[in-house]
Amino acid sequence: MQLKEQKRREQDLQKAILHYLAAMGFAAWRQNNCAASTGSRLVRFGVPGTSDIIGILPAGKFLAVKVKAEKGQLTQRQNIFIGEVMKNNGVAIAVQSVDDVVSGVEKYLSMRRISH
């Protein structure tokens, strides 16, 4: 039962984050990763470790947002994905609230203003 409550909280948070990003005028979407069985064959969709929300910030900057419940920990694959985004000059953040996203986006926007 607690697992479903935790999952629902993450889903609610994902929706709130997507609403915030849309209100800011940023293109962003939910990136689902899943697997399905077809007989004895398992088919995977998506890249393991990919962040929950993918988007584009001003100037074409790639955005990756990994949403975690209060006690959630990043997996090794999630850490690798976030590291790859950052290594390639994207914005990657792991968050537990909409405020975390606001802070991460504001940090990027303020750095962008300074460099112009």
Side-chain angles (χ1 to χ4, degrees):
M1 179 78 171
Q2 188 173 1
L3 193 63
K4 284 188 178 189
E5 289 173 8
Q6 181 180 10
K7 189 170 185 172
R8 182 177 177 134
R9 286 190 59 220
E10 283 187 10
Q11 288 175 347
D12 292 342
L13 183 52
Q14 289 167 0
K15 285 181 185 179
I17 290 167
L18 287 169
H19 281 102
Y20 162 73
L21 294 170
M24 293 294 292
F26 306 138
W29 56 92
R30 171 79 173 93
Q31 181 64 42
N32 289 314
N33 292 314
C34 59
S37 293
T38 58
S40 62
R41 187 171 165 216
L42 181 67
V43 180
R44 293 193 181 277
F45 302 92
V47 177
T50 302
S51 294
D52 300 303
I53 297 171
I54 301 297
I56 305 167
L57 295 172
K61 183 72 78 165
F62 185 83
L63 172 68
V65 180
K66 181 60 190 163
V67 180
K68 283 294 188 180
E70 189 176 323
K71 295 180 182 177
Q73 298 291 319
L74 293 175
T75 67
Q76 182 180 9
R77 286 183 171 174
Q78 291 165 348
N79 274 317
I80 290 169
F81 182 82
I82 286 172
E84 286 296 315
V85 171
M86 294 171 70
K87 181 174 86 176
N88 288 287
N89 209 25
V91 176
I93 50 179
V95 302
Q96 294 178 331
S97 69
V98 176
D99 288 340
D100 291 343
V101 177
V102 172
S103 295
V105 169
E106 283 299 318
K107 180 178 176 183
Y108 162 72
L109 292 174
S110 67
M111 288 174 30
R112 187 168 178 261
R113 282 187 282 254
I114 292 168
S115 67
H116 282 119

